[in-house]
């Protein structure tokens, strides 16, 4: 199964690197990326043998994402959909809806929390989950993790499952796993800043969360909430001066066309979650849950690998597309975030210390 996801995502990543476009895709939903193949292995054969269980019903699940179809992570969702359908012998079928086809991330997450039945899985940032449990703001806090490997190890480990259980019991939102979305960087018109003072007066688009507003201010800017799908035009029309996102998102949304400077702040080791309707999850028998969970975690690993590989290439790519790459004084930015840690000390409890044990020097 892991081999399946790795092969499929590698093909998808190659296609993404070759032809990344701008804005959200309006391509029709599909359950598998075009041109991909899945090779059966011993594990999948064993799973297939068990798939005749009379306890397994059919599950047709809708997965919503705000990412464009050619984003490496979105291609990973198609690979996941194909893998989970094969691993469950067709008992679980996932249809992927890219580019906000089912609505904005916040609206879809809210509909799942209410059990509306219009969507089953949303790939959402922890910022959305933090609206329901503020502890999740830890994953969006600046300079918590040193890199993506540390974040993924913590986010998909055993210790954090207690946090996920608590969220599911209270809200109907069940976090199944997280992948590394990339290190968040700043793209902006003008404001060639190397420290926070250089971003004074900059209207910087951030996601709709208390933490994003806090770290936007800590970067020295004036944070402004805006949906991802509106950002390109917002910068083009001067509603905002810039935005902050990982390099693959900067590239796939063509922000290089409307911003001239790329500030390498690495201010957040960003995560994205696979979050499912908990009532749907609990309707599945435990053995089927185990297979889906394994597919989720292997998808998270594969997407993380794909994004890390893409990040290694994209600085040069974005430079070639006309962006000025600016190395910043990270210590100056880190000094500005201590007030955030102080503010959230009681909210996070021991989770910050636990998370940082996964960092390697």
């Amino acid at each position: 199964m892991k081999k399946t996801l790795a092969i499929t995502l590698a093909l998808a990543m190659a296609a993404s690197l070759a032809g990344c476009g701008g804005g959200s895709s309006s391509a029709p939903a599909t359950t598998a990326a075009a041109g991909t193949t899945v090779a059966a292995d011993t594990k999948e054969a064993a799973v297939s043998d068990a798939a005749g269980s009379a306890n397994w019903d059919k599950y047709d699940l809708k997965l919503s994402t705000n990412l464009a179809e050619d984003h490496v992570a979105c291609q990973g969702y198609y690979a996941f959909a194909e893998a989970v359908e094969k691993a469950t012998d067709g008992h679980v079928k996932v249809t992927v809806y890219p580019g906000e086809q089912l609505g904005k991330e916040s609206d879809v997450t809210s509909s799942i929390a209410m059990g509306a039945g219009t969507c089953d899985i949303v790939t959402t940032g922890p910022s959305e989950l933090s609206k329901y449990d503020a502890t999740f703001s830890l994953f969006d806090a600046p300079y918590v993790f040193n890199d993506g490997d540390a974040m993924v190890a913590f986010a998909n480990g055993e210790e954090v499952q207690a946090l996920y259980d608590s969220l599911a019991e209270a809200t109907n939102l069940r976090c199944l796993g997280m992948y590394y979305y990339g290190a968040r960087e700043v793209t902006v018109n003008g404001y060639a800043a190397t420290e926070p003072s250089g971003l004074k007066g900059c209207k910087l688009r951030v996601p709709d969360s208390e933490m994003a507003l806090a770290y936007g201010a800590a970067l020295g800017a004036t944070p402004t909430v805006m949906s991802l799908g509106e950002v390109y035009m917002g910068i083009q029309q001067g509603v905002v001066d810039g935005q902050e996102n990982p390099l693959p998102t900067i590239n796939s949304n063509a922000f290089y066309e409307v911003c001239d400077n790329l500030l390498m702040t690495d201010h957040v080791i960003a995560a994205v979650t696979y979050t499912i309707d908990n009532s749907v999850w609990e309707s599945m028998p435990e053995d089927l849950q185990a297979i889906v969970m394994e597919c989720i975690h292997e998808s998270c690993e594969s997407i993380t690998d794909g994004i890390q590989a893409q990040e290694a290439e994209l600085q040069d790519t974005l430079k070639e597309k006309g962006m000025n790459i600016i190395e910043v004084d990270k210590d100056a930015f880190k000094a500005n975030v201590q007030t955030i840690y102080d503010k959230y000390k009681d909210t996070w409890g021991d989770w910050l210390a636990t998370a940082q044990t996964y960092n390697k020097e």
Side-chain angles (χ1 to χ4, degrees), residues 6-346:
I7 292 172
T8 307
L9 184 57
L11 292 171
M13 186 182 70
S16 179
L17 280 167
C20 289
S24 296
S25 170
S26 59
T30 179
T31 56
T36 59
T37 58
V38 176
D41 59 19
T42 303
K43 181 190 295 183
E44 287 176 338
V47 170
S48 183
D49 289 342
S53 170
N55 294 326
W56 288 10
D57 293 326
K58 295 280 188 177
Y59 298 87
D60 291 323
L61 307 180
K62 296 179 180 179
L63 185 154
S64 176
T65 175
N66 64 2
L67 296 178
E69 187 176 35
D70 60 0
H71 191 286
V72 61
C74 193
Q75 292 296 304
Y77 304 154
Y78 293 129
F80 159 72
E82 190 170 2
V84 77
E85 183 173 4
K86 187 171 186 68
T88 63
D89 197 27
H91 283 80
V92 178
K93 182 178 179 180
V94 177
T95 303
V96 178
Y97 292 83
E100 297 184 341
Q101 289 184 30
L102 295 184
K104 295 180 180 179
E105 183 178 307
S106 58
D107 294 335
V108 174
T109 305
S110 176
S111 73
I112 293 177
M114 294 186 294
T118 55
C119 184
D120 306 288
I121 303 172
V122 60
T123 56
T124 183
S127 58
E128 283 300 321
L129 302 186
S130 69
K131 296 176 183 178
Y132 302 89
D133 183 342
T135 312
F136 280 83
S137 62
L138 173 68
F139 291 98
D140 278 327
Y143 302 110
V144 170
F145 298 102
N146 290 346
D147 52 39
D149 291 338
M151 185 278 294
V152 170
F154 170 67
N156 296 329
E158 292 184 6
E159 292 172 293
V160 79
Q161 297 306 315
L163 178 60
Y164 299 166
D165 289 342
S166 176
L167 177 71
E169 290 169 5
T171 68
N172 195 46
L173 296 167
R174 163 72 63 178
C175 180
L176 297 181
M178 297 190 192
Y179 67 80
Y180 171 61
Y181 186 51
R184 298 186 81 94
E185 320 289 4
V186 174
T187 67
V188 66
N189 277 325
Y191 297 96
T194 58
E195 56 186 28
S197 61
L199 287 172
K200 184 177 180 180
C202 173
K203 293 174 291 183
L204 186 71
R205 178 270 174 180
V206 296
D208 183 12
S209 76
E210 181 180 285
M211 178 57 68
L213 288 166
Y215 71 60
L219 289 171
T222 301
T224 304
V225 171
M226 182 180 289
S227 169
L228 180 63
E230 300 171 349
V231 174
Y232 184 96
M233 186 171 293
I235 298 173
Q236 191 175 50
Q237 295 179 346
V239 178
V240 292
D241 299 306
Q243 62 84 52
E244 48 83 44
N245 257 303
L247 296 181
T249 303
I250 290 168
N251 189 56
S252 68
N253 286 276
F255 292 139
Y256 53 83
E257 294 179 351
V258 290
C259 293
D260 54 2
N261 290 322
L262 171 60
L263 315 185
M264 300 300 295
T265 52
D266 294 338
H267 54 278
V268 175
I269 299 299
V272 170
T273 76
Y274 276 97
T275 296
I276 193 170
D277 183 319
N278 192 54
S279 62
V280 173
W281 180 250
E282 290 188 339
S283 72
M284 294 183 183
E286 290 186 1
D287 52 352
L288 186 57
Q289 285 181 351
I291 294 172
V292 174
M293 183 67 80
E294 184 173 3
C295 288
I296 290 282
H297 283 181
E298 291 177 349
S299 176
C300 289
E301 291 180 10
S302 293
I303 293 174
T304 295
D305 290 344
I307 287 177
Q308 288 173 332
Q310 198 176 53
E311 280 184 316
E313 304 285 341
L314 279 176
Q315 279 197 54
D316 289 339
T317 299
L318 292 168
K319 186 175 181 179
E320 291 170 0
K321 290 179 177 180
M323 299 201 82
N324 302 314
I325 312 298
I326 299 174
E327 297 296 333
V328 305
D329 181 354
K330 290 182 186 176
D331 288 338
F333 284 98
K334 288 180 181 180
N336 262 21
V337 306
Q338 187 57 51
T339 56
I340 297 176
Y341 287 13
D342 294 340
K343 178 180 179 181
Y344 283 86
K345 181 179 180 180
D346 292 338

